[in-house]
Amino acid sequence: MEIPYGIETTKSSTKDYVFQLLANIYGQKQAERVWNQYLVRKLESIGFTQSQIDKCVFYRDDIIFIVYIDDGIFLGSSDDQLSHILREL
């Protein structure tokens, strides 16, 4: 990893510096876990409940959300309901 362009150093060698990551970067070992935790928190904050049988299934009233890796699908009885959910996200 190299120091990004535009960052000035007081020493002549850039090998004397260490960077601290403030957020998870795509491709890291924990990236999938971090994404899943974020998704679960967001869905729960707008009223979805995670299934106790299959952790990839969420439901709210008559709307079901299924997630598989980084893809998801909403199932509902009307387009208006689904549009409302997408606006909430």
Side-chain angles (χ1 to χ4, degrees), residues 31-42:
E32 295 89 0
R33 179 171 160 71
V34 171
W35 165 245
N36 183 265
Q37 289 172 334
Y38 171 80
L39 181 63
V40 170
R41 279 194 308 270
K42 181 61 180 174

Side-chain angles (χ1 to χ4, degrees), residues 3 7-17:
I3 293 180
I7 295 181
E8 303 285 327
T9 61
T10 56
K11 297 185 179 186
S12 61
S13 175
T14 59
K15 296 183 190 270
D16 296 331
Y17 291 87

Side-chain angles (χ1 to χ4, degrees), residues 64-77:
I64 299 171
F65 177 68
I66 302 168
V67 63
Y68 179 74
I69 303 175
D70 60 353
D71 292 323
I73 186 168
F74 283 99
L75 305 168
S77 58

Side-chain angles (χ1 to χ4, degrees), residues 42-57:
K42 181 61 180 174
L43 290 170
E44 288 176 344
S45 76
I46 61 172
F48 278 86
T49 303
Q50 190 173 27
S51 171
Q52 296 299 312
I53 296 169
D54 187 344
K55 299 292 184 180
C56 297
V57 177

